[in-house]
Amino acid sequence: MFFQKKRIWSFVVVACVFVCGYFLSELKQPNLVYVENVPEKSEEGPKKYFLDCGGNVASSVLLFRETYPDAHDYIIHSFEIDEYLKPYFIPFTEDGKSFPHIPMAVSDRNGNMTAYLEGVWYPGKLNQNSDKQWGGGSLYANKDEIVNTDGLGGARRLSRQIKVPMVDLSEWIQHNTRKEDYVILKLDVEGAEYGIIKQMLAEGTFDWIDKFYGELHGTGAEVGERYAIIKSMEKAGVLMLSWAGENKIFADFYDLLFDIRTPDNTPGSVGHIIDKCEAKDDKTRVTIIVEVGMNAKTAKRLIGAIAAHNKNVSLALFLYGDFVEQNADLVKEWSQKFDIGVRVGRHISDEYWLLQNGNILRMDIVSALRKFQEVGLTPAYIFPSGVSDDVMEITKKMNLRVINGTFTFPPRKGNLLTSSSYFKYRDVERTPKALKLIHEGLEKEGGILSLDSDFPDSYMISAFLLDYLYEVSSHEITSLHNCLS
């Protein structure tokens, strides 16, 4: 049975918003249902599948692709009953491994059924007396939602009613996957899950499933029947783990980070902001890092200039996850010469990145780490776009050391670079002004000097800066690793 095949973790029941399945070539029932673009079941080696039942706005696909281990090895099949939501899935189909089936419901039988869907947003609209726009809907609606006398669709604003095809999920899984495949099922289908689970138990379909995520709702079956199905799951050893795409989390999220967790013996302390380079033998020290932006051309120019200096500078580069994904070969080349750290997942202004809620920040950081992992790197240090309690909590769980510049160029604090004091001048006049700011920022205690590769003056001052640091300043120039040791 299910848990003799592979081991699953603890039993959890929570909420999520997506619909799943793998593709159906042809169901041999009186009411035939066809699913388009279903590849033939291959006789090659085992494959990996993520069956996203209750796809909603593709938030589960996004969460899976960005954070799950080896996510790009999986073929994804998403089922969603609301055709208005199909555009959210199309960007994921470009890799040829993601297949949205919309509109299509998963069920315990084949056929057609009325779906009750949330209406289009309008000013003043409330969903269950709250300012929300879920999208999607349910096959199981309340009486006021079905009658829809006011045209609003009841408290959930399910004002659209359409006929959608249904696919027998238990049969579909057995028809389109094999027991030797690795199959993850995510089932969040607003009440339809009870009939599906009951049928999968009866037909032994959980033997095809290696991990089961989902949510049990308060609709779709009578209370007694729901309780009986839950007891049958427990008896059969079927464990349902929570998956909440809208909250960007699933039950074993942190358990699955073991493969990208930084070793405990890495220099630097966890849970603290590291923004200094301690003196050694009463001599102040400076380490240089580059905050690499999304412009690969300007980054290569700056890093190339620093690397060409005759002092063989020890340099640390901090990269966005998206940069790593788009420039994998370049990053691998850099990793042979320089220390590599992570910024965050994607470029967004520092101010707005930090304003995002903890769920988004968590997914962004883990997404970045996964992209590093795909090129064979496990960063120990992070230079985030801002620091908050949420950021510190997330990085602590991942054993990441948080780095912040003693002085950053261009300066992030104060009003040091203005049009009248800096930008109106030519290169030859801006260079000494920039060097003076850096000198003043590091003069007393040294520290971590950060250069932004997207800022053109970082390249302009690079050789002059290194000449000053090595030949004029009293600092010892060292690597980030030595700085923290």
Side-chain angles (χ1 to χ4, degrees):
M1 283 299 290
F2 181 41
F3 289 98
Q4 293 173 344
K5 182 182 176 190
K6 294 198 174 115
R7 184 182 174 192
I8 305 290
W9 296 278
S10 56
F11 180 57
V12 192
V13 179
V14 179
C16 181
V17 191
F18 310 100
V19 182
C20 120
Y22 181 56
F23 284 71
L24 179 66
S25 51
E26 182 178 349
L27 293 179
K28 313 223 183 290
Q29 293 284 334
N31 292 316
L32 293 179
V33 178
Y34 298 93
V35 180
E36 297 179 352
N37 302 322
V38 180
E40 293 290 333
K41 184 161 61 174
S42 172
E43 296 305 322
E44 299 175 357
K47 295 183 180 298
K48 296 179 180 180
Y49 295 99
F50 177 62
L51 308 182
D52 173 29
C53 299
N56 198 254
V57 295
S59 52
S60 283
V61 178
L62 176 65
L63 177 62
F64 187 84
R65 279 284 192 240
E66 293 293 317
T67 68
Y68 214 84
D70 303 317
H72 291 283
D73 294 342
Y74 286 77
I75 298 168
I76 297 180
H77 293 280
S78 297
F79 286 78
E80 169 54 49
I81 59 177
D82 189 349
E83 60 186 353
Y84 284 15
L85 302 182
K86 189 171 184 177
Y88 288 105
F89 293 85
I90 299 306
F92 294 99
T93 63
E94 295 178 357
D95 64 0
K97 288 188 173 183
S98 185
F99 303 90
H101 305 285
I102 305 172
M104 174 71 69
V106 290
S107 181
D108 57 356
R109 61 190 184 278
N110 300 313
N112 298 283
M113 191 170 178
T114 299
Y116 302 88
L117 306 174
E118 185 177 11
V120 175
W121 179 89
Y122 55 83
K125 179 187 174 187
L126 297 177
N127 183 320
Q128 294 180 310
N129 297 315
S130 180
D131 193 7
K132 294 181 293 192
Q133 181 70 20
W134 280 103
S138 177
L139 300 178
Y140 298 93
N142 300 323
K143 183 177 180 180
D144 61 329
E145 296 167 341
I146 296 173
V147 175
N148 195 23
T149 54
D150 59 3
L152 298 177
R156 291 187 292 176
R157 297 298 186 253
L158 303 182
S159 58
R160 296 162 46 221
Q161 299 183 10
I162 65 170
K163 287 283 186 181
V164 297
M166 299 185 302
V167 60
D168 182 330
L169 181 60
S170 180
E171 182 183 46
W172 184 86
I173 290 171
Q174 292 196 27
H175 184 81
N176 292 284
T177 69
R178 302 167 299 178
K179 288 185 178 181
E180 59 264 33
D181 294 330
Y182 190 88
V183 181
I184 299 174
L185 170 61
K186 190 227 79 185
L187 189 64
D188 183 6
V189 288
E190 304 299 323
E193 66 272 5
Y194 293 104
I196 292 170
I197 292 171
K198 183 177 181 179
Q199 185 156 327
M200 289 180 66
L201 288 169
E203 297 178 354
T205 308
F206 279 106
D207 286 350
W208 273 255
I209 306 301
D210 295 279
K211 189 178 286 191
F212 182 27
Y213 294 101
E215 177 184 0
L216 300 177
H217 297 81
T219 59
E222 297 298 326
V223 174
E225 184 179 6
R226 297 201 301 264
Y227 179 76
I229 291 172
I230 292 172
K231 296 301 290 183
S232 296
M233 290 170 63
E234 294 176 354
K235 185 176 180 180
V238 174
L239 305 182
M240 177 186 279
L241 300 168
S242 68
W243 181 288
E246 72 278 12
N247 292 325
K248 298 169 176 54
I249 193 70
F250 44 87
D252 51 351
F253 184 92
Y254 284 109
D255 293 336
L256 296 178
L257 295 179
F258 68 91
D259 58 334
I260 55 175
R261 194 173 185 273
T262 304
D264 290 330
N265 60 356
T266 302
S269 59
V270 175
H272 304 280
I273 300 172
I274 302 170
D275 58 2
K276 295 180 180 179
C277 195
E278 297 297 333
K280 181 180 180 182
D281 299 328
D282 295 325
K283 188 176 182 64
T284 57
R285 297 192 291 174
V286 168
T287 189
I288 304 172
I289 69 175
V290 174
E291 295 178 70
V292 177
M294 289 303 297
N295 189 324
K297 183 172 72 173
T298 60
K300 287 192 289 185
R301 185 180 296 154
L302 172 60
I303 294 165
I306 294 175
H309 194 269
N310 59 18
K311 292 296 186 180
N312 193 23
V313 183
S314 295
L315 192 63
L317 312 180
F318 285 79
L319 316 172
Y320 290 114
D322 283 352
F323 184 95
V324 175
E325 184 176 50
Q326 296 171 20
N327 302 276
D329 290 339
L330 176 61
V331 173
K332 291 177 184 177
E333 178 186 333
W334 282 345
S335 70
Q336 301 301 311
K337 306 172 185 177
F338 312 112
D339 293 329
I340 302 291
V342 60
R343 295 188 71 173
V344 290
R346 66 202 188 285
H347 174 70
I348 184 174
S349 71
D350 294 352
E351 176 185 0
Y352 288 117
W353 186 82
L354 201 55
L355 290 176
Q356 297 173 112
N357 66 59
N359 296 333
I360 297 174
L361 296 176
R362 177 182 59 236
M363 187 176 79
D364 192 48
I365 293 173
V366 173
S367 169
L369 294 175
R370 287 291 177 207
K371 289 165 184 173
F372 276 82
Q373 183 189 40
E374 288 168 10
V375 297
L377 299 175
T378 303
Y381 304 102
I382 182 170
F383 197 116
S385 299
V387 178
S388 65
D389 290 343
D390 282 335
V391 172
M392 296 306 296
E393 179 183 355
I394 294 164
T395 54
K396 187 174 182 179
K397 287 183 177 180
M398 299 175 193
N399 216 33
L400 287 169
R401 279 70 171 158
V402 177
I403 303 296
N404 197 9
T406 308
F407 187 86
T408 60
F409 185 77
R412 288 194 174 92
K413 297 178 181 178
N415 196 24
L416 299 178
L417 300 185
T418 65
S419 176
S420 59
S421 69
Y422 186 81
F423 289 105
K424 74 175 185 178
Y425 294 98
R426 297 175 299 169
D427 294 2
V428 295
E429 293 151 341
R430 291 199 314 280
T431 294
K433 293 179 182 295
L435 295 176
K436 182 180 179 182
L437 289 175
I438 294 172
H439 163 75
E440 293 173 347
L442 300 175
E443 182 180 14
K444 291 183 178 180
E445 298 181 348
I448 301 170
L449 171 60
S450 170
L451 304 176
D452 187 338
S453 73
D454 278 349
F455 188 57
D457 285 12
S458 294
Y459 166 74
M460 179 187 74
I461 69 170
S462 57
F464 293 114
L465 170 64
L466 295 174
D467 291 340
Y468 153 73
L469 288 174
Y470 280 101
E471 298 183 20
V472 177
S473 81
S474 59
H475 308 303
E476 175 190 338
I477 314 305
T478 189
S479 68
L480 179 63
H481 187 278
N482 287 337
C483 176
L484 304 180
S485 298

